[in-house]
Amino acid sequence: KDLSAWLRNSYTTNRKFLARTAEKMPEEFYGLRPGAQPEVRTFGQLIGHLANFNFRWCSDAKGEKNPMEETDFEKLTAKADLVKALNGALAYCDGAYATLTDANSMDMVQGTRDDGTKVPVLRVSRLISNFAHNNEHYGNLVTYMRIKSIVPPSSEPR
């Protein structure tokens, strides 16, 4: 397989786990924060954070303005709103991964930093970062689920 096919397949598997996790976690646990440190995100804030970054990094990869640039999904608290935000972000990203080829993967695009400044990055590096970030936070979400004795999607019977 080529790099673009590997990345697309890896993203697709992970995005299914993320979407299923958001659906599977009961709303009563969306405020779950392991430990008492306020800087540790709640389960819901993690879902919102993932929505924010999928819109940001996939818009960079697409060479488009972030359609949700003015929205901070981490501020949402209702499960239905957060599930909708994450599913919208993942659906938006699907297009970036679907059109990725080995030929266009090395195109330079404008990456967006946390402060909003733009920096040149390779299209594929933006999408690898997005996939890695999703996977990293899926690992966090698994821990939140396990704390509540909920089997995460990646451990469900196939």
Side-chain angles (χ1 to χ4, degrees):
K1 285 187 184 181
D2 54 18
L3 175 63
S4 57
W6 170 85
L7 182 57
R8 186 170 28 263
N9 291 337
S10 298
Y11 160 80
T12 300
T13 298
N14 178 263
R15 66 107 50 226
K16 288 176 188 170
F17 290 157
L18 287 174
R20 176 85 179 103
T21 295
E23 287 284 349
K24 191 172 184 180
M25 186 67 129
E27 181 154 23
E28 66 191 278
F29 300 138
Y30 262 65
L32 176 65
R33 180 191 321 271
Q37 301 86 357
E39 68 274 9
V40 175
R41 290 183 178 102
T42 65
F43 181 90
Q45 287 170 329
L46 275 174
I47 297 298
H49 174 74
L50 285 164
N52 288 340
F53 273 81
N54 276 268
F55 274 117
R56 181 197 295 183
W57 285 346
C58 288
S59 66
D60 288 349
K62 289 178 170 189
E64 298 174 358
K65 182 182 184 327
N66 179 350
M68 303 307 285
E69 189 171 37
E70 302 303 317
T71 306
D72 183 358
F73 293 111
E74 273 192 63
K75 291 188 161 89
L76 300 177
T77 56
K79 175 181 176 174
D81 295 336
L82 286 158
V83 168
K84 182 179 176 187
L86 180 63
N87 286 336
L90 294 171
Y92 180 76
C93 278
D94 290 346
Y97 287 90
T99 58
L100 183 70
T101 64
D102 280 4
N104 72 18
S105 68
M106 294 300 161
D107 292 351
M108 294 302 290
V109 296
Q110 291 299 304
T112 308
R113 289 187 170 154
D114 286 346
D115 65 4
T117 60
K118 299 289 187 177
V119 292
V121 296
L122 292 172
R123 180 185 320 277
V124 72
S125 70
R126 189 70 346 173
L127 292 175
I128 289 171
S129 294
N130 186 68
F131 162 68
H133 183 251
N134 285 352
N135 204 40
E136 175 184 311
H137 284 306
Y138 177 67
N140 295 136
L141 295 168
V142 164
T143 303
Y144 288 58
M145 295 181 90
R146 291 288 189 191
I147 287 170
K148 292 300 182 183
S149 300
I150 299 169
V151 177
S154 53
S155 296
E156 291 173 339
R158 302 253 188 269

